[in-house]
Amino acid sequence: MNKNSAKIISKMALQFKPITSFNLIPSLNPSKSKLGSSVTMQVNKKDNFSTTNVKRKLPVLLFDVMDTIVRDPFYQDIPEFFGMPMKELLECKHPTAWNEFEKGLIDEDELARKFFKDGRSFDLEGLKMCMKNGYSYIDGVEGLLNSLKHNDYEMHAFTNYPIWYQMIEEKLKLSNYLSWTFCSCTVGKQKPDPGFYSEVLRVLEVEPGRCIFIDDRIKNIEGAVNTGMIGLQFKDADVLRQELSSLGVNISSEELTSTG
């Protein structure tokens, strides 16, 4: 990277500021933006890439999964499974067990023992089946991912989720479009922990201003912006398509009927 490019990236990192709709994107002219470019680099096999010199298309796209790509069944299906309203469920469940599960600190058997504060038992396999049945692609997102894939963008999951992400993969095959590179259960950190964002940048070996992060939660977007990434708060697939296009991301008309 030459000195002029470095100055452009540094300038981009300083331009992030929240706007009314919480889309934390820089005020850039897409025709002049350096986001939509490519660099030749060596990628490392230990970080889930082949060890070879490749031409890398930028920006790198980082996607939250739950309620950004995939419907989260927790808020509707799980209260119904337990036969209680959400407020009661939140009052009864253990305050840290799920977060510990998401960070890979406990396994699902320990989660079953700790899920409720009073230690009551429940049907763990039934809960898992309820979760799996509730997973589906959010409207329009699979087609957008397919378009981005056909334009050769590098895409990674960057998500807070436990080992049950494997159930999402089994049902919806997200790996057709992106890599499950950054899951809290394998990294041991959760967004918006600054260390999680730093780990992403370390593994990808890319300038933060060359990453676009998409998440439905504003606190996670703010965490990304604080590290110099571009942050987009997810609302729906059409809005995301427009926002990515405004940043110079090439989105083809290639579409795919959802299998979710």
Side-chain angles (χ1 to χ4, degrees):
M1 180 183 298
N2 59 38
K3 291 183 179 179
N4 289 334
S5 296
K7 290 179 180 178
I8 291 171
I9 293 171
S10 297
K11 184 178 180 181
M12 286 166 54
L14 293 174
Q15 287 179 310
F16 301 116
K17 46 189 173 182
I19 60 178
T20 304
S21 62
F22 297 108
N23 294 319
L24 305 182
I25 59 177
S27 300
L28 298 175
N29 182 333
S31 65
K32 296 180 180 180
S33 170
K34 297 299 182 181
L35 283 174
S37 61
S38 60
V39 296
T40 300
M41 62 171 289
Q42 186 177 67
V43 290
N44 197 326
K45 186 175 181 181
K46 71 181 178 66
D47 289 333
N48 297 324
F49 305 105
S50 301
T51 304
T52 182
N53 287 325
V54 296
K55 196 167 187 179
R56 189 179 199 180
K57 187 168 185 177
L58 297 173
V60 175
L61 304 177
L62 302 168
F63 283 88
D64 172 52
V65 175
M66 304 313 294
D67 282 341
T68 300
I69 295 177
V70 176
R71 173 185 177 268
D72 190 343
F74 178 80
Y75 300 99
Q76 181 175 342
D77 301 1
I78 302 310
E80 292 178 3
F81 173 80
F82 286 115
M84 62 179 72
M86 174 59 77
K87 181 179 179 181
E88 182 181 351
L89 177 59
L90 294 177
E91 290 172 350
C92 292
K93 77 180 188 68
H94 190 281
T96 64
W98 183 260
N99 285 336
E100 292 169 4
F101 189 39
E102 277 197 343
K103 290 194 286 187
L105 301 178
I106 62 174
D107 62 19
E108 64 180 33
D109 292 331
E110 181 68 11
L111 174 72
R113 289 191 289 270
K114 295 179 63 174
F115 190 84
F116 287 107
K117 289 187 289 189
D118 61 10
R120 75 185 76 171
S121 62
F122 65 92
D123 180 5
L124 177 63
E125 291 304 314
L127 175 63
K128 291 170 64 176
M129 184 57 64
C130 178
M131 297 283 283
K132 188 172 182 179
N133 289 341
Y135 296 142
S136 61
Y137 277 103
I138 291 175
D139 288 347
V141 170
E142 188 177 12
L144 176 56
L145 292 175
N146 191 57
S147 297
L148 293 166
K149 174 187 175 182
H150 278 271
N151 278 283
D152 299 320
Y153 283 101
E154 180 181 331
M155 294 183 282
H156 301 269
F158 181 14
T159 186
N160 292 345
Y161 215 63
I163 193 67
W164 290 352
Y165 80 85
Q166 294 173 352
M167 296 195 299
I168 301 175
E169 172 61 23
E170 183 179 344
K171 182 177 182 182
L172 300 179
K173 303 295 188 294
L174 265 66
S175 61
N176 286 337
Y177 310 108
L178 51 72
S179 169
W180 287 97
T181 316
F182 306 108
C183 292
S184 59
C185 64
T186 56
V187 178
K189 294 181 175 64
Q190 291 174 303
K191 299 169 296 185
D193 180 346
F196 201 176
Y197 300 91
S198 297
E199 178 67 8
V200 169
L201 295 173
R202 184 194 69 79
V203 171
L204 293 179
E205 296 182 334
V206 66
E207 294 284 348
R210 298 296 186 94
C211 294
I212 299 178
F213 172 61
I214 301 102
D215 196 302
D216 63 302
R217 298 194 176 190
I218 189 62
K219 66 179 182 179
N220 295 336
I221 295 295
E222 290 170 344
V225 170
N226 288 338
T227 67
M229 296 180 185
I230 296 174
L232 298 177
Q233 186 182 21
F234 179 80
K235 297 178 183 63
D236 61 48
D238 289 338
V239 170
L240 179 57
R241 180 184 292 271
Q242 294 168 9
E243 292 173 341
L244 288 172
S245 294
S246 74
L247 290 171
V249 175
N250 184 24
I251 303 174
S252 72
S253 60
E254 205 57 58
E255 291 291 347
L256 185 70
T257 300
S258 176
T259 59

